[in-house]
Amino acid sequence: MDDLRVMPGPGLPHGLHVPAGELVEQFSRSSGPGGQGVNTTDSRVQLSLDLATTTALGDTQRARALDRLAPSLAGTVLTVAASEHRSQRQNRRAARDRLTTLLREALAPDTVRRPTRPIYGSRLRRLDAKSRRSQAKAARRRPSASD
């Protein structure tokens, strides 16, 4: 098994390199496509990475990943399964791609929202809509005795 490489992107200026020794692969029988061969071949792949002990992450990256991936962690271990292909090789690639995507999304920094103000035209449209609604409701009222 090769090392897992995550290409540079937001939150990962130099990318990420996870040594192969830190990844744990387990194989089992898949319930997916494969006909009679599905009962004899171990094509389902589970790929696991312990986020607490991996050397690939820095302290801030580790804290961010543990926080964001908490719902899908078992302790501190992130596990991804792939069984949609008939061959074990394709499922291994799919599991590695999924793990890469999860790590990339978890390590990306939050986008900071810049507060904006409504533009002049939108304010005018809002006030115009309010006045039209008010007139429609006023037209439904019973006329007063003074009119």
Side-chain angles (χ1 to χ4, degrees):
M1 176 172 37
D2 296 335
D3 296 345
L4 182 71
R5 296 188 189 280
V6 180
M7 299 304 290
L12 297 169
H14 304 293
L16 195 64
H17 177 258
V18 180
E22 296 179 359
L23 296 170
V24 178
E25 278 186 332
Q26 292 178 329
F27 304 101
S28 60
R29 291 196 178 130
S30 174
S31 63
Q36 293 172 341
V38 79
N39 299 324
T40 60
T41 58
D42 292 340
S43 61
R44 181 175 185 262
V45 178
Q46 280 187 307
L47 185 63
S48 301
L49 174 66
D50 190 354
L51 296 176
T53 60
T54 185
T55 59
L57 300 174
D59 292 334
T60 55
Q61 289 176 331
R62 186 181 326 277
R64 185 180 287 168
L66 287 171
D67 181 49
R68 291 189 179 170
L69 296 172
S72 44
L73 293 177
T76 59
V77 178
L78 176 63
T79 303
V80 176
S83 62
E84 63 268 9
H85 301 289
R86 290 178 66 158
S87 77
Q88 188 183 82
R89 179 181 298 141
Q90 287 178 318
N91 283 331
R92 286 175 83 179
R93 189 174 303 122
R96 292 171 77 84
D97 290 344
R98 267 192 214 135
L99 185 62
T100 301
T101 303
L102 278 175
L103 288 173
R104 179 185 301 284
E105 290 173 358
L107 296 174
D110 290 330
T111 53
V112 180
R113 182 190 177 278
R114 285 188 348 203
T116 58
R117 291 174 43 194
I119 60 173
Y120 181 72
S122 65
R123 270 184 260 155
L124 288 180
R125 284 189 297 273
R126 182 179 63 87
L127 294 175
D128 184 46
K130 283 177 73 167
S131 67
R132 271 191 269 116
R133 185 77 179 142
S134 173
Q135 289 169 0
K137 287 185 172 192
R140 290 186 214 138
R141 281 192 213 124
R142 179 173 293 172
S144 63
S146 63
D147 286 342

